[in-house]
């Protein structure tokens, strides 16, 4: 399956991060959404989320979806348009989840990231 189709069709994905060069790898299950070909993620724990902090330290990561690995680069996407696109995509994809409201809270919107293939 191709990027971003594998991400769009997966309910959850895993993101593989590290604190920096040579540091141990850490994998976390997260939500990822696709809007107009762009892949977005947001930290449920806001800026305190470990995977988010690690991406801020080293934006290179690997996204695991549908038994495939996608090397990615995280780019800050906290501008109003990206935040709204991500929120709308989260509403579409996870409308049946009790956790959706948490992903739309004002204090975590600034953790919206776009993942680009590298």
């Amino acid at each position: 399956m191709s990027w971003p189709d594998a991400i769009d069709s997966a309910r959850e994905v895993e993101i593989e991060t590290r604190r920096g060069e040579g540091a141990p790898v850490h994998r976390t299950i997260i939500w990822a959404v696709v809007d107009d070909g762009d892949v977005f993620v947001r930290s449920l724990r806001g800026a305190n989320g470990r995977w988010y902090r690690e991406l801020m330290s080293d934006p290179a990561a690997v996204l695991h979806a549908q038994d495939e690995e996608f090397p990615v680069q995280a780019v800050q996407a906290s501008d109003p348009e990206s935040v709204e696109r991500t929120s709308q995509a989260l509403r579409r994809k996870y409308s049946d989840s009790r956790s959706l409201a948490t992903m739309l809270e004002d204090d975590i919107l600034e953790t919206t990231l776009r993942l680009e293939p590298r």
Side-chain angles (χ1 to χ4, degrees):
M1 195 171 288
S2 68
W3 168 276
D5 295 334
I7 289 91
D8 196 32
S9 63
R11 180 77 177 171
E12 296 175 326
V13 298
E14 286 186 301
I15 192 157
E16 182 179 303
T17 58
R18 63 179 67 219
R19 289 184 200 177
E21 191 73 28
V25 171
H26 176 248
R27 283 175 71 159
T28 305
I29 296 172
I30 62 169
W31 287 357
V33 294
V34 178
D35 182 68
D36 197 25
D38 293 324
V39 175
F40 294 98
V41 295
R42 185 178 287 162
S43 173
L44 180 68
R45 290 187 165 78
N48 294 323
R50 179 179 177 174
W51 68 266
Y52 179 81
R53 289 190 328 265
E54 290 179 351
L55 276 180
M56 293 297 92
S57 173
D58 181 0
V62 177
L63 203 63
H64 299 266
Q66 305 292 332
D67 296 322
E68 294 190 53
E69 295 182 359
F70 301 96
V72 296
Q73 185 81 15
V75 177
Q76 192 71 42
S78 56
D79 60 282
E81 179 186 356
S82 295
V83 167
E84 184 57 26
R85 288 174 64 197
T86 304
S87 295
Q88 290 300 326
L90 286 165
R91 286 182 184 101
R92 284 190 302 271
K93 188 171 182 179
Y94 300 103
S95 62
D96 62 341
S97 175
R98 294 180 307 185
S99 299
L100 176 61
T102 303
M103 293 295 283
L104 302 173
E105 290 181 5
D106 288 340
D107 60 336
I108 69 163
L109 299 179
E110 67 187 26
T111 67
T112 303
L113 302 171
R114 186 177 64 253
L115 300 181
E116 298 178 347
R118 60 176 169 93

